[in-house]
Amino acid sequence: MSWQQIPIKRLQHDGCLYLKFAKRENKTILAQCYQAPPLRASRALYLNSADPSEATVYMVETSGGLVAGDQNNFEIDIEEGANVCLIPQSATKIYPAFNGEWSTQCINISIGSKASLAWKTEALIPFRKAKYRGETVVHMARDASFLWGEILSPGREKRGEIFEYSNVKSNFQVWMEGECLIYDSLLFSPDHMDLGQSGMLEEHLYIGSIWFVTPALQNMNIRKLNEGLQQFCDMKVCASILDGKVVNVRWLASDLVLLKKEMNNTWNKFISYKD
């Protein structure tokens, strides 16, 4: 029996990060912050010259990643009129599940009237034999704005770990005053499905997604947006608008650097549109 087959018992580490933002006069402040290791948050910074009132906070996972059995919980509460940008300091790494347990991440977000949240894009990197389960639930007011980006990687590509993880499950929901705007559920089990087949990832390695919800979306020209998206031989991308309330842009790519560049360009278009 190899050491990887020996049953492993360990203490579970449940990280927690609770952030509450409020508008005070003409500035968004971090009104409350509770953090339990390994999750940490920076103080509120004011980095957006186009919107000096916006609070930017960096979120840090001090352990370097999620080990099997770990769970990280994020609770984000944005009060009326507050404008927030949250930036993960680095990619989320999911370590091997040699003990068979799942690594879990739960994100719950509340966005009040005339408030906004931009959650910057970072990658999820599941290592060989990793098991990951993620859920994000957003509740927002009808006149609020929300911008979200995420990347699912095939693993540690430079080490030759490509689709060698066990399972990746994610569920992403956005609710607007009781109406479900987005319900996006993904399941990848490379041992039980051919990700390279037609209609799946085919020859691509990375999946990138941006979701954008804002009151003025009915005026967006989705055809013009699609025409402006860059097309490359090893990348596919398409934008769609859902019921005039949500824009989704999804990429399939093989080059992570190029994918991040294209997603950042689209992100900046949405930020300027929101402003």
Side-chain angles (χ1 to χ4, degrees):
M1 178 182 293
S2 70
W3 68 272
Q4 294 181 352
Q5 296 173 312
I6 298 175
I8 300 172
K9 292 185 178 180
R10 55 179 296 276
L11 293 175
Q12 293 185 358
H13 298 280
D14 293 344
C16 180
L17 185 62
Y18 171 73
L19 304 175
K20 183 175 183 178
F21 296 89
K23 186 175 183 180
R24 296 291 185 268
E25 297 180 351
N26 294 319
K27 184 168 71 173
T28 297
I29 65 168
L30 179 54
Q32 295 182 30
C33 176
Y34 172 80
Q35 45 195 4
L39 299 180
R40 289 288 185 267
S42 73
R43 63 184 177 87
L45 306 172
Y46 299 92
L47 309 176
N48 187 350
S49 58
D51 182 5
S53 72
E54 180 185 81
T56 297
V57 171
Y58 287 85
M59 301 176 295
V60 183
E61 220 282 9
T62 59
S63 68
L66 284 166
V67 178
D70 287 355
Q71 177 167 323
N72 281 343
N73 296 290
F74 295 81
E75 296 281 344
I76 313 297
D77 185 5
I78 304 174
E79 292 189 344
E80 180 177 354
N83 298 312
V84 179
C85 178
L86 296 178
I87 304 177
Q89 186 191 45
S90 63
T92 301
K93 302 175 184 67
I94 313 300
Y95 289 100
F98 293 136
N99 60 2
E101 296 189 36
W102 293 79
S103 300
T104 305
Q105 181 165 279
C106 297
I107 302 173
N108 288 287
I109 299 171
S110 175
I111 310 174
S113 177
K114 298 181 181 177
S116 68
L117 170 62
W119 186 297
K120 286 285 284 185
T121 305
E122 255 307 341
L124 178 75
I125 305 176
F127 287 19
R128 180 177 177 270
K129 298 301 181 183
K131 296 176 70 176
Y132 172 78
R133 181 168 47 221
E135 182 179 72
T136 300
V137 180
V138 182
H139 292 274
M140 60 187 294
R142 194 164 297 278
D143 55 354
S145 296
F146 176 59
L147 181 57
W148 171 277
E150 60 185 354
I151 296 172
L152 174 59
S153 88
R156 294 183 290 181
E157 180 191 358
K158 301 305 180 184
R159 293 196 176 195
E161 290 184 9
I162 298 177
F163 301 123
E164 294 188 9
Y165 55 83
S166 295
N167 290 281
V168 168
K169 297 180 180 180
S170 71
N171 183 264
F172 180 72
Q173 303 176 37
V174 176
W175 296 78
M176 178 180 285
E177 298 182 0
E179 177 188 3
C180 184
L181 296 185
I182 302 168
Y183 193 96
D184 187 44
S185 186
L186 298 177
L187 168 62
F188 292 97
S189 300
D191 291 340
H192 302 97
M193 58 178 64
D194 180 9
L195 298 181
Q197 68 179 326
S198 179
M200 296 289 284
L201 301 185
E202 299 177 356
E203 72 276 14
H204 303 98
L205 301 178
Y206 296 89
I207 303 173
S209 299
I210 288 180
W211 296 92
F212 184 40
V213 185
T214 197
L217 269 187
Q218 60 269 23
N219 300 322
M220 176 174 284
N221 187 330
I222 197 69
R223 181 186 295 273
K224 184 177 180 180
L225 175 62
N226 269 302
E227 290 173 350
L229 292 171
Q230 296 295 319
Q231 302 286 341
F232 298 90
C233 60
D234 60 349
M235 179 184 293
K236 295 176 181 176
V237 56
C238 183
S240 57
I241 189 164
L242 311 177
D243 199 28
K245 299 175 181 177
V246 181
V247 169
N248 174 232
V249 186
R250 183 154 284 171
W251 288 261
L252 296 178
S254 296
D255 186 323
L256 180 59
V257 174
L258 181 59
L259 173 61
K260 284 188 171 183
K261 178 181 177 181
E262 291 303 302
M263 291 185 70
N264 189 60
N265 289 340
T266 303
W267 180 278
N268 290 334
K269 289 179 182 178
F270 288 155
I271 286 291
S272 61
Y273 187 89
K274 176 173 71 71
D275 295 339

